[in-house]
Amino acid sequence: MKSTKSELTQRINAALSLIRKYKSTSEATNMMVEQYSISKRQAYRYVEQANKIGEQVAVPDPKIAFTVKLSQKLIQRLREHAKHTEKKLSTIVTQSLEDFLQNGQEPGRKKQKRSRY
């Protein structure tokens, strides 16, 4: 069974901690096998990735499906944009929503300039 991005990141971070604790890639690999019930080969891959990165990696937020209704025209534009930019739909929507929420702008309203007085 394939690990999620979150699990992958957590295991790389664990491998890095074990390398630092035991000062040995073989010991860190053996501990990964024991702790995560994974093959020695897979544990070694995590240890190698941790060695290559050399620092803790931020664990990404898990993603879940979220259904919304959009107009056909908007969906078509979104799909065309995704195809043109070679990005996933969820990547485009996530970035757009994060930008929108960060700017605090309401839909359909232009940002107002602040008065100096």
Side-chain angles (χ1 to χ4, degrees):
M1 187 166 146
K2 191 172 179 179
S3 299
T4 64
K5 286 184 182 181
S6 180
E7 288 172 328
L8 173 66
T9 306
Q10 289 171 343
R11 289 180 180 183
I12 290 171
N13 287 340
L16 185 61
S17 295
L18 291 168
I19 292 166
R20 289 177 178 163
K21 181 177 180 180
Y22 294 105
K23 311 270 191 272
S24 159
T25 55
S26 63
E27 189 64 30
T29 301
N30 291 335
M31 292 305 295
M32 289 292 293
V33 169
E34 191 176 308
Q35 286 182 8
Y36 293 99
S37 300
I38 56 177
S39 70
K40 193 162 188 158
R41 180 182 223 176
Q42 185 59 55
Y44 181 75
R45 287 185 190 134
Y46 289 131
V47 169
E48 283 300 299
Q49 284 181 288
N51 265 330
K52 185 177 178 182
I53 295 167
E55 60 186 33
Q56 294 286 315
V57 181
V59 178
D61 286 338
K63 296 187 179 191
I64 59 170
F66 178 73
T67 305
V68 297
K69 291 185 179 186
L70 303 171
S71 72
Q72 286 182 332
K73 207 180 245 187
L74 182 58
I75 293 169
Q76 182 180 3
R77 287 175 53 205
L78 179 59
R79 286 183 175 148
E80 287 171 3
H81 180 74
K83 185 176 180 180
H84 177 72
T85 60
E86 297 180 354
K87 292 182 180 178
K88 293 181 179 180
L89 294 173
S90 60
T91 301
I92 295 167
V93 172
T94 298
Q95 186 61 54
S96 298
L97 285 171
E98 285 176 350
D99 290 348
F100 168 77
L101 293 171
Q102 185 175 4
N103 293 331
Q105 194 173 335
E106 290 199 28
R109 291 192 179 183
K110 292 183 180 178
K111 236 181 182 175
Q112 296 178 353
K113 291 182 182 178
R114 289 188 168 180
S115 172
R116 294 190 306 176
Y117 304 102

